[in-house]
Amino acid sequence: MGNRYTVILAAGQGSRMKSKKYKVLHEIAGRSMVDHVLTQVESLSPDEVVTVVGFGAEEVQKNLGERTKYILQEEQLGTGHAVLQTKDILADKEGTTLVVCGDTPLLRQETLKSLFEHHEKSGAKATVLTVKAPDPFSYGRIIRDETSGQVLKIVEEKDASEEEKAVDEINTGTFCFDNQALFASLGKVDNQNEQQEYYLPDVIGILQSQGEVVEAYQMKDFSESIGINNRQALAEAAATMRKRINDQHMVNGVSFVDAGAAYIDIDVKIGNDTLIEPGVMLKGTTEIGSNCLIGANSEIIDSKIHEDVTINSSMVEQSIIKSGADVGPYAHIRPNSTIGENVHVGNFVEIKNSTLGEETKVGHLTYVGDADLGKDINVGCGTVFVNFDGKHKHRSVIGDHSFIGCNVNIISPVTVGENAFLAAGSTITKDVPNDSLGIARSRQENKVGYAKKLPYSQDF
């Protein structure tokens, strides 16, 4: 195997997307389209990867980082012109160059690997990646010699005869080239066409006119060939990607109530014997352990969920939930929170930037913000950690085995010791020592007969 190079074409604006975002940066399953392409290319360990950027160059570079070199195509004058911009990096090198579009996110590493191998084994100067299309209309057709099977030409829809239009093998727009033959031929491509652009497929005709061998490698799965030019194609590709992802999780031992109604990003990891209910969205770098239940309509983002956890119709963001805990329904675990082992977080509870020790229970209608709660604490209904004074956030600490009664306001920063008891309805503004009762509420007074003097008493 000789040297291998890759050129990713990512310069187009994608006007049919009707978007302020540049086409190749639209996301599918948690990554941009061009990131999907680069990830598959990287798995082949090429000697050099060059991405041709144009519209949105800075945003594309920000998205991909230092994983690739970049070349700017200042004017979008066609795919052949785009590849030619890489000549200062690649033109003098020997080896094989893969040219792939940045808007083809469904291409698999296995397909690209087979394309490389077929090209190098055949000794061809160029190899076209092809596939049979259920409806080949608008695609360039691959015309082969009936006897040898060798590629004779690629003919575009508008130039094809009726016989050629009946061919269902199409050009996917992905190619392998002998690198030096590629750059020698690019210099001969002209723009004598309706769009006045320099087309990369014209290199095929130039090589054939010189008597060089041009090959085609036909992949099996048409869905891999989808190029994204509009929102409909984006949705179609996203559905295909989701099915791939969910199928692989099922192979790994994950169960779905309805696999078609679960939305899981490509970098998510899930342990075996976990059940995913409909409407679940698992995003980013989320990791879920074994034997969990992720209930209907839950959303989990960049979080780590340990084994034996139940999350019921709730949202978790950038947090950790440890073994045996249960969350929800309708709870919100906000960023930088850690929910300890066997903790219960009930309905309409919000946790933010806080830690809850093992066996602690926060049943319902409570806000815990910027606080560290120890183990085996009971937090009553309606408790509020008042952590913001209008300018700064403040943090409170609650000791192990404490009891917080219903409707307690904890005005941070305060420290409550171990085995403390905060009386229901209290507003706690000072530290409470170990084994102490904290109570802060006015004594009740009854004014007998006073209600009759109130202006609205006649409404009773």
Side-chain angles (χ1 to χ4, degrees), residues 233-251:
L234 183 68
E236 181 182 349
T240 299
M241 183 68 78
R242 285 199 305 271
K243 186 176 187 308
R244 283 186 192 176
I245 291 168
N246 293 354
D247 283 349
Q248 187 57 54
H249 284 303
M250 286 186 279
V251 168

Side-chain angles (χ1 to χ4, degrees), residues 104-267:
T104 53
L106 296 176
L107 279 172
R108 299 175 188 263
Q109 170 242 330
E110 296 86 354
T111 298
L112 299 178
K113 181 174 183 286
S114 296
L115 174 62
F116 264 123
E117 291 173 349
H118 181 90
H119 173 80
E120 291 166 347
K121 185 178 180 180
S122 70
K125 293 297 181 182
T127 301
V128 187
L129 180 64
T130 73
V131 71
K132 288 196 172 185
D135 179 7
F137 178 76
S138 81
Y139 291 98
R141 311 302 206 280
I142 304 299
I143 308 303
R144 294 178 182 260
D145 183 273
E146 293 183 0
T147 303
S148 66
Q150 186 175 337
V151 176
L152 297 177
K153 61 179 178 178
I154 302 173
V155 59
E156 298 302 321
E157 174 79 25
K158 64 181 182 299
D159 300 320
S161 66
E162 291 303 314
E163 183 179 3
E164 290 168 337
K165 288 179 180 179
V167 173
D168 61 358
E169 186 181 9
I170 64 165
N171 171 26
T172 66
T174 299
F175 303 86
C176 270
F177 295 98
D178 174 274
N179 188 66
Q180 293 191 342
L182 168 64
F183 283 94
S185 300
L186 282 171
K188 301 174 183 178
V189 173
D190 62 43
N191 66 343
Q192 302 304 306
N193 53 64
E194 187 175 334
Q195 300 297 323
Q196 295 186 321
E197 293 185 350
Y198 300 88
Y199 293 131
L200 182 61
D202 289 353
V203 170
I204 301 299
I206 291 170
L207 291 172
Q208 287 174 322
S209 70
Q210 297 170 349
E212 302 290 359
V213 175
V214 173
E215 274 284 326
Y217 174 73
Q218 187 182 114
M219 63 182 178
K220 297 179 181 179
D221 185 358
F222 173 72
S223 70
E224 289 191 54
S225 70
I226 294 175
I228 312 302
N229 291 310
N230 54 44
R231 302 284 183 158
Q232 293 91 331
L234 183 68
E236 181 182 349
T240 299
M241 183 68 78
R242 285 199 305 271
K243 186 176 187 308
R244 283 186 192 176
I245 291 168
N246 293 354
D247 283 349
Q248 187 57 54
H249 284 303
M250 286 186 279
V251 168
N252 294 339
V254 177
S255 292
F256 292 82
V257 172
D258 181 357
Y263 305 85
I264 301 177
D265 283 355
I266 195 166
D267 293 314

Side-chain angles (χ1 to χ4, degrees), residues 13-24 26 33 228-234:
Q13 185 176 15
S15 57
R16 282 183 283 173
M17 298 294 288
K18 301 291 193 295
S19 176
K20 295 178 181 179
K21 182 183 291 187
Y22 301 104
K23 181 172 74 168
V24 298
H26 282 266
M33 290 193 282
I228 312 302
N229 291 310
N230 54 44
R231 302 284 183 158
Q232 293 91 331
L234 183 68

Side-chain angles (χ1 to χ4, degrees), residues 312-316 327-333 345-351:
N312 186 10
S313 302
S314 297
M315 173 176 274
V316 181
V327 174
Y330 314 118
H332 188 180
I333 311 300
V345 176
N347 51 297
F348 303 105
V349 171
E350 181 176 344
I351 312 290

